[in-house]
Amino acid sequence: MSGSVPIAILAAAVMSAGYLFWKSAARKNNVPPGPRRWPLIGSVLEIPQTCQWETFSKWAKTYGSIVYVDALGQPMIVINSAKVANDLLDKRSSIYSDRPILMMPTLCGGTNSFALQSYSESWRQQRKIVAQDFSPAAVRRYYPLQETEARKLVHGLIDDPSTLARQTQLRIGAIIIRVAYGHYVTDENDPLLTAGLTAMEIFSKATTPGVWAVDFLPMLRFLPSWLPGSEFLQIAKQWRKIVIGAAWDPYLWCKKNLATGTVLLPNFCAQYLAAEDGKMSEEQEEKLVWAALSMFGGGLDTNASSILTFFLAMILNPSVQHKAQDEIDRVIGPDRLPVIQDKASLPCVRGLIAEVFRWHPAAPLGIAHALTQDDVYDDMRLPKGSVVIPNAWHMLHDPEVYPNPMEFDPDRYQGLDSEMDKVTDISFGFGRRACPGKYFAEGTFFAVVSTVLATCEISPIQDTEGNTVLPDISYTSGTISAFKISVPF
Ligand code: HEM
């Protein structure tokens, strides 16, 4: 028994080396420029573990708008310009709409969600039902809910501004869970909310590109669990249990309580349960469960992140805040609160919202796509199987496109919706994988921003000597990036 251990390790090492060599050898020349590649390991040591968009952005200056990275034999293409993203991910979407098979999210059960699924029939079916429920026309029925939750957020913040992050999560979670399952979350300890939040944290960590060795060397998943270096297998096992619970528990609650009248209508799951008259096949039910979790996952941290960025931007830029408030006072007046339908008559607020999406996109690297066949772009070879990462952060901070990109300046759009749309076209992703929740998300965000501006003065706290204390600008890493609150509001 003891002799078999070194043999197993040796065999795994030989297999890994052979696999890497084969992948390296298979790669042809004339790929886009990129960081230096070493034999076997490629450029993997150049990929940072955190805030990768910053490094990828530096690469844009050195290598240009399309960068080739070899990560342990896995080809990666980083796209640093909106034009290239549009040329490839939008215009050639039939071959750029796959997702990379990332082993860590797969081990965690995350690939049941269509957000991470390959470009397949199963993805198509899940996406179709979500896209129907969140079309521009369909999302209107959720406006009253979004407006009510925005007002509750304001009430809560007036009572205790220091709970901003928690209350934002609670309100955004309440909206999504209500819309997906018909359950109304009343407090932050609601198990459906806490399980969903934990699952989203797992999603963000598990899908961060370049962090998990098993994503590059899938055979590492066969390591025995006692071997040093195999801790990720234990982590994945724990995460999988949480993710599956977060998907099935709220659905089963909805299904069980539909007849009792405790389920609020309309909601996504009830609608499909009713349409199929409760007679869904196991396969259909599975799709519904994971489609609902995808909505929950897609809509929670992204919206919450944008709201926190909005508060940060308002604290740091009082003149921008006052300009938008003046517009609301002028157009809406003092007798009512703004509603989502007012969006068309508030260009200054629309510009401010676009600037929040630009200043710090909630998903700075979007979600990686994958290329399903060899392609050629500007005489460069893009190999089949490449992981394609749209660096939205750089596209939205390219000084050639957005002068003084770190400044929060809604005037840069000069009130032109066409310019604002260029920002949302990037921050909500590309091609056939672009965010299906965009219209819904924009409704929630407008409701929150306009209600807060109409009712609150957002200002920094003061210390005991009356000095203003400004928060540090620091963001979390991971697929979804959120402002880390360093001082209370
Ligand atoms: C501020 C809010 C939001 C932002 C910034 C955002 C951004 C994104 C981005 C960048 C992607 C990846 C697109 C790509 O692969 O190119 C995405 C995908 C997705 N989003 Fe959103 N999103 C937001 C809100 C929502 C909401 C409210 C929902 C659902 C109700 C949602 C559901 C999804 C789903 C299911 C996907 C995966 C689509 C697929 O793989 O086919 N998102 N989102």
Side-chain angles (χ1 to χ4, degrees):
M1 181 70 188
S2 58
S4 66
V5 172
I7 292 171
I9 297 172
L10 190 67
V14 170
M15 277 163 68
S16 296
Y19 174 74
L20 290 174
F21 183 75
W22 172 76
K23 282 200 104 174
S24 294
R27 219 180 37 242
K28 305 239 173 67
N29 290 331
N30 207 25
V31 290
R36 179 162 185 186
R37 302 196 288 277
W38 297 94
L40 295 181
I41 60 169
S43 326
V44 76
L45 300 177
E46 309 278 336
I47 305 173
Q49 296 281 302
T50 55
C51 297
Q52 289 151 332
W53 53 89
E54 288 170 4
T55 303
F56 293 170
S57 212
K58 285 185 196 137
W59 288 351
K61 288 188 198 103
T62 319
Y63 308 113
S65 55
I66 179 159
V67 178
Y68 182 83
V69 188
D70 175 329
L72 287 170
Q74 169 62 57
M76 273 169 55
I77 310 282
V78 178
I79 298 180
N80 280 317
S81 96
K83 179 179 179 325
V84 177
N86 179 249
D87 286 347
L88 299 181
L89 304 181
D90 291 333
K91 294 189 184 147
R92 300 183 192 176
S93 61
S94 62
I95 56 170
Y96 280 89
S97 294
D98 210 2
R99 293 279 190 226
I101 302 175
L102 292 175
M103 203 35 79
M104 191 58 182
T106 307
L107 293 173
C108 301
T111 41
N112 292 318
S113 147
F114 77 91
L116 298 183
Q117 267 177 10
S118 56
Y119 187 51
S120 58
E121 190 48 37
S122 167
W123 165 79
R124 218 165 270 120
Q125 287 170 2
Q126 285 193 40
R127 171 130 188 153
K128 194 172 160 201
I129 52 178
V130 170
Q132 274 165 3
D133 218 50
F134 289 99
S135 69
V139 294
R140 284 164 193 268
R141 66 198 155 132
Y142 298 125
Y143 283 178
L145 170 71
Q146 291 165 313
E147 287 153 3
T148 305
E149 291 305 308
R151 289 166 197 185
K152 286 188 179 172
L153 176 65
V154 166
H155 272 294
L157 290 180
I158 290 172
D159 282 350
D160 186 358
S162 70
T163 55
L164 171 67
R166 275 175 28 221
Q167 294 210 43
T168 301
Q169 256 185 353
L170 171 63
R171 292 296 150 211
I172 299 302
I175 294 175
I176 303 266
I177 292 177
R178 161 67 189 81
V179 163
Y181 307 104
H183 169 66
Y184 189 68
V185 170
T186 49
D187 79 89
E188 56 193 284
N189 298 317
D190 185 308
L192 297 191
L193 176 65
T194 52
L197 288 173
T198 313
M200 289 321 115
E201 213 177 305
I202 290 171
F203 166 83
S204 192
K205 286 184 187 157
T207 53
T208 308
V211 170
W212 302 96
V214 69
D215 289 341
F216 305 120
L217 286 175
M219 60 188 69
L220 290 181
R221 72 188 184 281
F222 299 121
L223 285 178
S225 56
W226 47 262
L227 202 69
S230 68
E231 292 78 10
F232 69 93
L233 287 172
Q234 289 308 317
I235 297 174
K237 199 171 162 192
Q238 285 164 14
W239 285 1
R240 185 180 180 84
K241 202 168 160 217
I242 296 170
V243 170
I244 289 179
W248 279 93
D249 292 350
Y251 167 75
L252 291 175
W253 174 89
C254 174
K255 189 177 172 184
K256 186 170 142 218
N257 291 296
L258 205 48
T260 68
T262 41
V263 174
L264 300 168
L265 300 172
N267 77 66
F268 176 73
C269 287
Q271 189 170 310
Y272 281 90
L273 281 163
E276 300 297 327
D277 204 14
K279 295 188 193 91
M280 269 190 284
S281 66
E282 269 180 37
E283 198 193 336
Q284 279 175 307
E285 193 168 42
E286 179 99 11
K287 287 207 173 65
L288 181 58
V289 166
W290 289 102
L293 187 73
S294 309
M295 285 165 45
F296 185 55
L300 198 75
D301 285 353
T302 43
N303 255 144
S305 160
S306 302
I307 291 171
L308 295 188
T309 296
F310 157 69
F311 276 95
L312 174 66
M314 294 303 94
I315 284 197
L316 299 178
N317 300 278
S319 62
V320 173
Q321 180 184 173
H322 296 147
K323 193 171 170 189
Q325 285 167 329
D326 288 347
E327 182 184 68
I328 293 175
D329 289 347
R330 213 175 43 251
V331 176
I332 310 293
D335 301 328
R336 69 173 178 93
L337 286 171
V339 290
I340 301 172
Q341 300 276 21
D342 292 319
K343 195 173 172 185
S345 43
L346 296 170
C348 193
V349 177
R350 292 204 303 279
L352 186 154
I353 286 174
E355 188 65 348
V356 171
F357 288 138
R358 187 200 67 80
W359 199 50
H360 194 91
L365 296 176
I367 302 179
H369 291 222
L371 176 57
T372 50
Q373 64 183 58
D374 283 340
D375 195 18
V376 175
Y377 182 72
D378 267 358
D379 293 331
M380 290 175 285
R381 253 183 51 77
L382 308 179
K384 174 181 175 178
S386 294
V387 173
V388 185
I389 301 178
N391 185 3
W393 197 89
H394 184 77
M395 296 176 208
L396 297 167
H397 290 82
D398 183 347
E400 303 278 313
V401 186
Y402 298 106
N404 302 317
M406 300 311 284
E407 261 176 41
F408 188 89
D409 176 19
D411 286 343
R412 65 175 79 241
Y413 308 109
Q414 298 177 333
L416 296 171
D417 286 306
S418 53
E419 290 304 307
M420 300 173 203
D421 290 349
K422 285 182 188 162
V423 170
T424 44
D425 283 351
I426 294 170
S427 50
F428 283 92
F430 299 94
R432 297 180 195 181
R433 300 305 291 236
C435 179
K438 176 173 181 265
Y439 304 108
F440 180 74
E442 287 180 326
T444 301
F445 196 49
F446 182 85
V448 169
V449 167
S450 61
T451 309
V452 169
L453 288 173
T455 52
C456 303
E457 174 69 24
I458 308 163
S459 49
I461 57 159
Q462 295 188 330
D463 66 15
T464 44
E465 274 139 38
N467 303 312
T468 296
V469 184
L470 290 175
D472 298 331
I473 305 184
S474 168
Y475 275 81
T476 59
S477 200
T479 300
I480 312 297
S481 169
F483 164 51
K484 286 192 246 178
I485 299 180
S486 57
V487 290
F489 283 44

